[in-house]
Amino acid sequence: MDRIRLTGGVKLRGRVQISGAKNAALPAMAASLLTSQPVFLDNVPYVRDILTMKTLLTEMGVEAEVRPDGTSMLRAATLSSFEAPYELVKTMRASILVLGPLVGRFGRARASLPGGCAIGSRPVNMHIEGLEQMGAKCEIRHGYVEASAPRLKGARILFDTVTVTGTENLMMAASLAEGETLLDNAACEPEIVDLADLLRDMGARIEGDGTRTIRIHGVAELDGCAHRVIPDRIEAGTYAVAAAITRGAVQIENCCPAHMAAILTQLERVGVEVEAEADCVRIRGRDPIRSRDITTNPYPGFPTDMQAQYLALMTQGDGVAAITETIFENRFMHALEMIRMGADITIEGSSALVRGGSLLTGAHVLASDLRASASLVLAGLVAQGETIVDRVYHLDRGYCRIEEKLVGLGARIERIR
Ligand code: EPU
């Protein structure tokens, strides 16, 4: 199993190119199931989760090409299977994104239920209830949800809590349903808007994406299209924290600062210099890093996917910061590893109290999920001596060539196989 070895103490400097957003590319790939025509995607990050989605689609009979240069072609002319098997779903929960498109176009789907994961229980009840409200018959059997419907019918669906992939699944299903669907309390993440843009290019009739109410007028069929995936705001945010925590100066290119408002505002509050242009942001870390509280929230709030990285930054703060996680119930595993590196953190329910000013020392640490691994790399960048981050496969799920990009900024980091 691969590990990352890094030696802290270098101020990062230079320029880094941001890849396409994993969490926008995954639903875009699933959306190819909605048409028999080819869907061409650009700016698809060449990361493990994308390759897992490719395997899933290929096993269903989709012709799929995913290239390291970010271009992809997906053609779901006919399918040989309508199933997302346990073996794939257990490695990537986002496999559930095929459920909506399959029921929408083919009237049938069988998908393994994802079960719990390292960051929380993460049920998919709202995906299933939404399809039922649209007329699908859904049964849970042998760990799978089996859904069938002659043709879905538009419905008014109110989400109890904001769900990103739930909104995406139902948006895709509703695109081919009969009549109008209203999604209320919908997610408004930039990834939702990107999916809506893609679906509109395929001929779907969608309004209100980016707000809490999305209206979808179903059409009889959808066409192929070409679409460029938005930049990854979480990858960009991670490099912004890398610059801040090392008191370096980094130009983050090919990103979308408008999607990062909550992240950039918070960095400014803690004393980081932020200079944003249309598709680039310059970050200059400064002393002192001020300790400031944060609470994670659905977009446009501060993203849960940046909580671990921000926590790493707060270990270097000048006071005490309370970090409250409201999306997932168990997303502080990284804090326990940072404590082993010398951080002063107390977990109280859904909050972590981080006392800044810790001198971190390198240690052998274990990553529990994607963003936790990124935060341990960030902690390692300021730690004294050598840090080894184990279970790098988590990092590889969502960060494209991370050690190469960090080396480009001067970090002393390598992968050990
Ligand atoms: N929830 C339910 N029932 C449902 C669906 C969700 O109770 O049917 C709850 C979840 O348990 C959670 C909350 O609602 O407490 C929000 O979860 P959401 O459904 O929004 O999460 P997701 O769609 O499974 C996506 C991203 C995650 C990101 C979250 C929150 C993708 C592929 N994944 O997950 O990304 O953390 O939204 O923004 O888009 C990551 O990239 O590291 C990652 C975990």
Side-chain angles (χ1 to χ4, degrees):
M1 235 186 289
D2 289 5
R3 293 165 171 182
I4 293 272
R5 177 162 58 201
L6 71 159
T7 307
V10 178
K11 290 180 194 277
L12 299 190
R13 290 193 188 284
R15 294 148 62 154
V16 63
Q17 295 289 326
I18 296 308
S19 302
K22 162 183 83 80
N23 290 348
L26 290 170
M29 291 172 78
S32 71
L33 290 167
L34 290 164
T35 172
S36 61
Q37 299 303 308
V39 170
F40 296 93
L41 299 175
D42 194 7
N43 209 28
V44 175
Y46 200 68
V47 294
R48 176 59 47 197
D49 275 8
I50 295 297
L51 297 176
T52 304
M53 182 59 92
K54 180 199 168 194
T55 305
L56 173 60
L57 294 173
T58 306
E59 283 185 4
M60 290 195 289
V62 177
E63 189 191 332
E65 288 170 29
V66 175
R67 306 178 196 95
D69 69 357
T71 59
S72 289
M73 191 285 298
L74 303 137
R75 190 192 334 242
T78 52
L79 290 195
S80 49
S81 147
F82 302 87
E83 181 171 310
Y86 176 68
E87 282 62 38
L88 289 174
V89 177
K90 76 173 182 201
T91 63
M92 186 182 73
R93 307 175 59 85
S95 308
I96 198 74
L97 282 167
V98 300
L99 187 64
L102 285 177
V103 183
R105 177 165 160 220
F106 300 98
R108 56 189 283 210
R110 186 167 186 268
S112 172
L113 291 170
C117 96
I119 61 176
S121 60
R122 303 185 72 183
V124 289
N125 58 303
M126 289 188 282
H127 302 228
I128 296 168
E129 285 156 21
L131 288 175
E132 283 176 335
Q133 280 176 266
M134 295 170 78
K137 195 166 156 259
C138 296
E139 283 184 85
I140 310 288
R141 275 202 221 130
H142 309 295
Y144 280 73
V145 51
E146 295 177 2
S148 59
R151 186 175 176 201
L152 293 175
K153 291 199 168 47
R156 186 181 183 129
I157 295 162
L158 172 66
F159 293 103
D160 291 340
T161 49
V162 173
T163 161
V164 176
T165 50
T167 302
E168 290 163 350
N169 238 336
L170 298 184
M171 232 165 75
M172 292 189 276
S175 293
L176 286 178
E178 191 185 321
E180 193 174 89
T181 298
L182 207 65
L183 301 179
D184 240 330
N185 198 25
C188 42
E189 270 67 3
E191 292 75 16
I192 301 282
V193 176
D194 197 43
L195 176 63
D197 283 340
L198 166 78
L199 293 171
R200 273 188 290 264
D201 284 349
M202 294 169 76
R205 290 174 56 195
I206 303 176
E207 291 163 30
D209 48 292
T211 75
R212 288 271 170 252
T213 306
I214 304 177
R215 194 181 292 271
I216 304 133
H217 197 92
V219 297
E221 60 177 16
L222 292 170
D223 216 341
C225 74
H227 178 78
R228 185 172 170 82
V229 173
I230 54 169
D232 196 316
R233 62 197 166 98
I234 305 300
E235 188 198 18
T238 303
Y239 286 103
V241 173
I245 202 169
T246 61
R247 280 74 157 180
V250 173
Q251 178 154 316
I252 301 168
E253 298 179 347
N254 206 12
C255 66
C256 182
H259 293 165
M260 300 169 64
I263 302 169
L264 297 178
T265 304
Q266 190 64 17
L267 287 178
E268 281 183 320
R269 275 192 200 129
V270 307
V272 175
E273 242 178 73
V274 175
E275 208 184 308
E277 284 175 22
D279 61 353
C280 148
V281 57
R282 279 181 285 278
I283 303 287
R284 187 179 290 272
R286 279 201 307 208
D287 266 321
I289 294 171
R290 291 197 286 268
S291 293
R292 291 285 181 270
D293 298 350
I294 195 74
T295 299
T296 63
N297 267 309
Y299 193 85
F302 189 86
T304 173
D305 289 344
M306 279 301 297
Q307 177 259 103
Q309 300 89 315
Y310 183 73
L311 189 144
L313 183 64
M314 285 300 100
T315 65
Q316 304 306 301
D318 63 355
V320 183
I323 299 180
T324 305
E325 171 60 55
T326 70
I327 311 292
F328 296 114
E329 64 270 24
N330 189 31
R331 212 175 195 182
F332 283 126
M333 299 292 275
H334 43 281
L336 303 176
E337 293 298 286
M338 280 181 217
I339 290 171
R340 295 186 49 249
M341 297 174 75
D344 186 348
I345 307 167
T346 318
I347 312 286
E348 282 174 12
S350 60
S351 295
L353 275 186
V354 188
R355 284 167 215 87
S358 299
L359 172 71
L360 300 185
T361 53
H364 195 140
V365 288
L366 207 64
S368 51
D369 74 271
L370 172 59
R371 309 304 169 188
S373 356
S375 73
L376 294 174
V377 169
L378 295 173
L381 288 174
V382 276
Q384 211 175 56
E386 190 176 279
T387 295
I388 307 256
V389 182
D390 231 322
R391 300 199 182 160
V392 170
Y393 57 83
H394 287 301
L395 211 52
D396 292 335
R397 291 185 58 180
Y399 286 91
C400 198
R401 298 182 281 105
I402 186 166
E403 61 287 14
E404 204 180 296
K405 291 186 186 185
L406 284 172
V407 164
L409 296 173
R412 286 176 288 182
I413 179 168
E414 63 179 341
R415 180 177 291 252
I416 333 170
R417 292 189 193 275

